[in-house]
Amino acid sequence: QVQLVESGGGLVQAGGSLRLSCEASGSIFSINVMGWFRQAPGKQRELVAVISSGGSTSYADSVKGRFTISRDNAKMTVYLQMNSLKPEDTGVYYCNYNPVRGNSRWGQGTQVTVSS
C-alpha cells in the first residue's frame, strides 16, 4: 500500500502564493507519475499538473506560467508552487500517485482558498 500525505493548503489573497507538498510512503514503484488535481465546489475533479519520475511535466492551460510542479525522488515528495493565485484556483487539491505497475492512490486533499 502507498500512503500520500499532503500539506501546505490555506487561505491567501489573490496574487499571493502557496506551496503544496505531498509525501508518498509505502510500497512505491519507482517508475510513476505523480501530480495534483483539484476540485471546486459543484465541479468535477480536474488535472492541475503532473510530473513523471523522469522529470517530464504537464500542466493545465489555466495554470501554465503560474504554477510549477517539482519532485524529490529521494524523499518521494512532489511539490506544487502556486504563484499569482486567482479566486478561480480555489478548491480542494488532491495529490495522486500513478505507478506503471500497481494501483493509483489519492491523498486526502488539502483546501486552497483564494480571496478576491
Side-chain angles (χ1 to χ4, degrees), residues 2 28-33 97-105:
V2 172
I28 296 165
F29 191 76
S30 60
I31 303 174
N32 59 70
V33 175
Y97 160 80
N98 193 18
V100 171
R101 293 181 183 177
N103 298 320
S104 177
R105 289 283 184 265

Side-chain angles (χ1 to χ4, degrees), residues 5-87:
V5 178
E6 301 144 334
S7 61
L11 172 64
V12 65
Q13 288 188 332
S17 298
L18 284 174
R19 188 192 196 208
L20 305 183
S21 299
C22 173
E23 182 177 3
S25 61
S27 302
I28 296 165
F29 191 76
S30 60
I31 303 174
N32 59 70
V33 175
M34 292 187 72
W36 293 93
F37 291 70
R38 67 187 179 191
Q39 189 166 17
K43 295 187 177 181
Q44 290 189 333
R45 192 174 298 188
E46 62 176 3
L47 180 147
V48 176
V50 293
I51 183 168
S52 72
S53 46
S56 297
T57 60
S58 181
Y59 296 89
D61 288 343
S62 60
V63 307
K64 284 180 180 177
R66 300 187 298 122
F67 291 11
T68 302
I69 190 170
S70 60
R71 63 188 288 165
D72 183 333
N73 288 332
K75 296 181 179 179
M76 275 310 301
T77 300
V78 63
Y79 306 96
L80 185 68
Q81 178 66 43
M82 305 186 292
N83 299 329
S84 301
L85 282 160
K86 304 175 181 180

Side-chain angles (χ1 to χ4, degrees), residues 11-16 85-90 113-116:
L11 172 64
V12 65
Q13 288 188 332
L85 282 160
K86 304 175 181 180
E88 51 263 45
D89 294 318
T90 294
T113 302
V114 184
S115 63
S116 57

